Amino acid sequence: MPEFWVSSGHHLTRRDAGGGLVVTDELLLAYLARPELVPPDEACDAERALYAALLADPRRRVAPAEVAALADADARENWEMILAFRDRLLAARSVEAAYLDLVRNGAAGTPPLFLNQLVHLILRNALDGCDDPYTLRAAELFFRPQRASLSNGSLLLADAELIDEAEGAGRPSPLVAMLGREPVSELDVLAADNAWTYWSRSDAFSMALNLGSDPKSREGLARVIEAFLRHLMAVEVAVAPIPAIEDRDWRWFVGLDAEGTRIGNALWRGEAVDAATSERVLALFRLTILDPARADPRIEGRPVYLLLAMTPDRLVTMKPQNLIAGLPLVATGEA
């Protein structure tokens, strides 16, 4: 099976008996290697000493006075944040359990970047052995914000960081600029004839996803949602893309992002939603909880609808934590 997502750090950890990922010293050291934490040239002696001590023992207890002794206020804030995050990782039995704790008990003070990295790592574990590039590319939505655009009538999603870098650096070719096309037009769009190349570029996040007119893309996203919930929540669900919500008595929905939640709430309240807002809904799914004993009785056996949308500036920032917090499930054993 080809390797993928080495950047997730999955090779720095190992599975426990339940299939979750153990927090290892190697994983903690990878966080310490982030450029935000490596002491800059102007760092004080106290910060350099703290950093060296953690490199020697990434699990060591750090007294508040050690952080308070740092001369730079931004450095103190950074270290308070990373140490609080580290301590929550160490307090949990697995990476998956730590993520669930952050979602359920509050992630205040935890940068979205760190939450995304946890989801990246968790999905690499959950999708181990997956041989479908469409599923893997769709999974990138869970931890990499996307930019949406129309190209030749197709709705494409491309990695927002790559697009923003291209626009900021003025990298589009003269022909692209002359034609008024967007940077996404210079990316390869995942298709049957180039899907095999995904494996060699999975860590570059450089393939666009045709979410609008390639059914395999939405099916791939449905499979990721199923795998994510199976792995983290120990629940079997069936997810299917749908063109519209035609159920007049829909009981439950989950917005897969903040915009999807906002639009779904408006529809739920019976408010009028204008055409421009409706067009920002990129995908709809019907989710069925296969074991009735796991479903909240309030839904009375009916499906849950999922909405994915983009902001007015065409940014798609999926919030997988909404699936954890928003699904009407009866609690049981989890990852």
Side-chain angles (χ1 to χ4, degrees), residues 99-330:
Y99 177 73
L100 289 173
D101 172 65
L102 286 163
V103 170
R104 291 169 172 164
N105 298 317
T110 302
L113 176 70
F114 285 179
L115 288 177
N116 288 343
Q117 195 278 329
L118 286 183
V119 173
H120 190 186
L121 182 55
I122 289 166
L123 276 176
R124 177 59 184 81
N125 190 23
L127 295 172
D128 191 48
C130 177
D131 61 359
D132 177 28
Y134 282 92
T135 297
L136 298 179
R137 175 57 184 88
E140 293 177 20
L141 274 67
F142 276 63
F143 55 88
R144 301 278 301 187
Q146 307 285 305
R147 287 280 177 194
S149 67
L150 282 175
S151 179
N152 297 322
S154 295
L155 172 67
L156 302 182
L157 297 183
D159 190 83
E161 184 176 325
L162 288 184
I163 297 300
D164 291 348
E165 286 179 357
E167 291 178 338
R171 280 209 306 264
S173 67
L175 178 61
V176 168
M178 182 178 70
L179 296 177
R181 296 164 65 190
E182 301 181 63
V184 69
S185 64
E186 293 197 324
L187 298 178
D188 288 337
V189 180
L190 181 63
D193 62 349
N194 66 8
W196 63 274
T197 69
Y198 180 84
W199 305 105
S200 63
R201 61 171 85 181
S202 70
D203 285 294
F205 309 112
S206 59
M207 297 193 87
L209 185 70
N210 184 350
L211 193 68
S213 57
D214 189 340
K216 292 182 180 179
S217 297
R218 296 189 188 205
E219 286 290 344
L221 186 52
R223 301 292 81 76
V224 180
I225 294 169
E226 292 171 352
F228 186 71
L229 291 172
R230 182 186 308 117
H231 185 71
L232 274 173
M233 306 291 286
V235 62
E236 292 289 343
V237 300
V239 180
I242 56 175
I245 299 176
E246 298 178 347
D247 188 346
R248 293 183 177 274
D249 186 28
W250 52 307
R251 301 294 177 87
W252 208 280
F253 84 93
V254 174
L256 295 177
D257 60 283
E259 193 70 8
T261 300
R262 188 186 70 79
I263 295 171
N265 282 334
L267 293 171
W268 182 267
R269 293 190 295 262
E271 299 173 3
V273 176
D274 60 39
T277 300
S278 296
E279 289 175 357
R280 293 206 297 274
V281 177
L282 303 182
L284 296 169
F285 298 90
R286 181 179 59 247
L287 180 150
T288 303
I289 301 169
L290 298 182
D291 181 358
R294 292 298 313 277
D296 189 311
R298 289 177 293 175
I299 66 171
E300 299 180 349
R302 302 181 71 86
V304 176
Y305 294 97
L306 310 178
L307 287 76
L308 178 68
M310 63 179 174
T311 62
D313 61 353
R314 299 182 298 177
L315 183 65
V316 183
T317 305
M318 190 168 168
K319 293 182 174 293
Q321 60 267 38
N322 289 4
L323 286 166
I324 305 300
L327 277 188
L329 294 174
V330 175

Side-chain angles (χ1 to χ4, degrees), residues 20-33:
L21 295 175
V22 176
V23 177
T24 63
D25 286 0
E26 291 79 8
L27 184 64
L28 297 176
L29 288 169
Y31 281 106
L32 291 173

Side-chain angles (χ1 to χ4, degrees), residues 44-47 50 60 62-81 83:
C44 66
D45 291 342
E47 184 175 359
L50 174 59
R60 75 181 287 271
V62 177
E66 293 182 77
V67 178
L70 305 186
D72 184 74
D74 289 338
R76 291 195 297 272
E77 183 179 0
N78 284 346
W79 281 107
E80 287 171 353
M81 174 189 66
L83 289 170

